[in-house]
Structure formats: C-alpha cells, structure tokens
Amino acid sequence: MTEKLHVPVIAWFDAHARDLPWRRPEAGPWGVMVSEFMLQQTPVSRVLPVYEQWLARWPRPADLAKEAPGEAVRAWGRLGYPRRALRLHGAAVAITERHGGDVPTDHAQLLALPGIGEYTAAAVASFAYGQRHPVLDTNVRRVLARAVTGVQYPPNATTAAERRLARELLPEEDGTAARWAAASMELGALVCTARNEGCARCPIAAQCAWRLAGKPEHAGPPRRGQTYAGTDRQVRGKLLAVLREAHAPVPQALLDRVWHEPVQRARALDGLVTDGLVEPLAGGLYRLPST
C-alpha cells in the first residue's frame, strides 16, 4: 500500500511541483522556517512578496533578533494573524542565543523554540534537513483522509489516529520520507483540493478509497467558512495598519477613527495589548512593541 502511494505521488511532484523560493537550496533552513510561519492559514500568493522582502532584510535569524519585535509586526504587513510575527521574532532570538544563530537540526530542539509547534518542527526538520517526520498540514490530512480512509474531509482537529496513519505511511529512507512529505502536501494544495478536486489529474485516483466509494458526502460536523467582515479580527487589522504606518507613537484619537463601534474597538485594542502586539504609553499613546 505505502509504495503504491509514494512512487506515483513523488513522481507527480517531480514533474509538477511549483518553483517556490523556500524550496530552492539557497533558501536554507531559516528561509524554510520563515515560510512555514508565513504560510499558516495564508495562501502562497500573499506570502511570496512579504517572504522575499523579509529575507532580503533579515537573511539570518540574528539579523531579525537585533530588531525590536514591533519591526517584525510592521514587516508582516497584511498577512494576517500577526502574532505569528512575534513568535517568529521570539524564535529568532532563541536561535541566536541558544544555537549560535543557526536553525537547529534536532527535532526536539526545534520543538523547544518559542512559537514552534508540532507541525512547524516537523516541517522544518523535513524540508530543511531532509529528515523523516510525519508532516501533517491541512492539505496532507485531506489527501490521507480521501486516499486511505475514504472520507471527504479530515476531522477539524488533528487526531491520534491521523498521526498514527501518517507515521505508518512514512517511507523508511529519510530523503524519500522528506520528499513524500512535500509531495503529498503539494498534491493537496493543487489537485486534491477542498473543493473542485481534480481527480482526473491525480496520480493515485485509481486507488483513492474515497473516489472508489463514489465520493460519499461529508458526514461529520458542518464545515464553516471563516468570516472576517465586521469581526474583531477586522478591527484589530485596521488598528495595526495605523500603527504599522506610523513611525512615532499614535494618539488614541487617531485609532478611534478606524472603527465606528466604540465597545468593539476598545475590545480589539485591549486584545492587541494583551497579545503583546501593541504597547500602551503614557498620555494615551500607542506603538508597536519595542521590547
């Protein structure tokens, strides 16, 4: 079963993989790590320009670590979920202090970095260092759910059963396992998509359990799309946009102009302060974090 999946999917990847900057040798482990932070819940098209600007400015972890965390938030721009910028800055500081400025090769050391979870540690170890780890993002989980378990969508949160299946499907050889991780992820991103899946282009369509079962409809809890307009997330984004554009502390009155509803606006600003994304100063002034 495993080889029947690995060989065609990796061959497909060799022929169809996108030429992305973090996949090139010159990206190095730091480039891979930056991409993994940026790509969480964010499409490639939005990440590409910010990624290239980021690496041009901060080509090594130590370059970012020397800057104030607010500069990371500023450079993050409109990628969304800006706490990722603070976590990436924290990881850069830890890499500089604990590992001499080099992204560690050891999976456990990667996992011990601030802001690095199970997925990111496995992805960096696999994609940067060619190690054998199960790399379970949404795309991979969807490919395995359909091809192996015969259901349309994986559960909302990663389960122990999914982790076990991913480990069982890992090729034995490190380099092949790393290639499989990248290939199965790309297959989910380009072919085995959440909607309008391209089964006619899929290299494992003939053995896909979900397709062979007649593509049964999703039987789990309803899948809700994310909303943005009118949410606290939107208000937070508007407040941060003002602070990113400003290179001096901003008065409360200027922030008050970004949203008409005062209670929601105050809640969003309080949340940004609590998350460490905004620093309040005396006199009702605000700025991006300096320490």
Side-chain angles (χ1 to χ4, degrees), residues 26-34 51-67 72 88-104 129:
E26 60 267 26
W30 173 238
V32 171
M33 178 175 284
V34 170
Y51 172 87
E52 291 176 349
Q53 292 163 11
W54 191 285
L55 268 294
R57 181 174 179 181
W58 298 309
R60 288 181 53 79
D63 300 316
L64 176 58
K66 287 186 290 191
E67 297 265 17
L88 185 50
H89 182 275
V93 171
I95 289 167
T96 303
E97 293 175 349
R98 302 176 197 170
H99 304 288
D102 294 321
V103 176
Y129 294 119

Side-chain angles (χ1 to χ4, degrees), residues 12-216:
W12 172 87
F13 183 67
D14 290 341
H16 299 284
R18 291 169 290 180
D19 178 21
L20 299 173
W22 44 87
R23 289 180 176 161
R24 299 170 193 159
E26 60 267 26
W30 173 238
V32 171
M33 178 175 284
V34 170
S35 76
E36 289 300 333
F37 271 81
M38 290 185 173
L39 288 164
Q40 294 166 22
Q41 298 179 283
T42 308
V44 166
S45 59
R46 289 180 58 200
V47 166
L48 280 169
V50 181
Y51 172 87
E52 291 176 349
Q53 292 163 11
W54 191 285
L55 268 294
R57 181 174 179 181
W58 298 309
R60 288 181 53 79
D63 300 316
L64 176 58
K66 287 186 290 191
E67 297 265 17
E71 287 306 301
V73 176
R74 194 187 311 278
W76 199 255
R78 296 185 177 275
L79 282 182
Y81 303 99
R83 276 179 288 183
R84 293 179 293 168
L86 290 182
R87 290 169 183 156
L88 185 50
H89 182 275
V93 171
I95 289 167
T96 303
E97 293 175 349
R98 302 176 197 170
H99 304 288
D102 294 321
V103 176
T105 61
D106 182 74
H107 180 265
Q109 291 179 331
L110 286 166
L111 200 53
L113 294 173
I116 301 284
E118 173 189 0
Y119 164 78
T120 305
V124 173
S126 179
F127 302 149
Y129 294 119
Q131 296 177 13
R132 182 180 183 270
H133 296 283
V135 182
L136 275 173
D137 81 334
T138 302
N139 290 313
V140 175
R141 294 175 62 224
R142 186 168 57 252
V143 168
L144 299 186
R146 290 175 178 172
V148 182
T149 61
V151 298
Q152 185 177 17
Y153 298 119
N156 289 331
T158 307
T159 65
E162 287 181 284
R163 293 187 182 94
R164 184 167 57 252
L165 175 62
R167 287 194 299 269
E168 291 170 355
L169 290 175
L170 269 182
E172 289 300 323
E173 195 270 323
D174 280 8
T176 307
R179 199 73 178 157
W180 160 252
S184 55
M185 187 176 295
E186 189 79 334
L187 186 66
L190 299 184
V191 176
C192 192
T193 49
R195 296 177 181 174
N196 303 315
E197 62 279 354
C199 296
R201 297 179 287 118
C202 180
I204 54 172
Q207 55 185 297
C208 173
W210 181 57
R211 191 190 70 83
L212 293 173
K215 296 187 177 181

Side-chain angles (χ1 to χ4, degrees), residues 264-278:
Q264 188 179 24
R265 188 179 63 235
R267 183 171 66 241
L269 183 58
D270 287 346
L272 289 170
V273 171
T274 300
D275 290 342
L277 288 162
V278 171

Side-chain angles (χ1 to χ4, degrees), residues 238-250:
K238 287 179 175 291
L239 293 167
L240 276 181
V242 172
L243 293 164
R244 279 199 309 269
E245 294 298 321
H247 290 276
V250 170

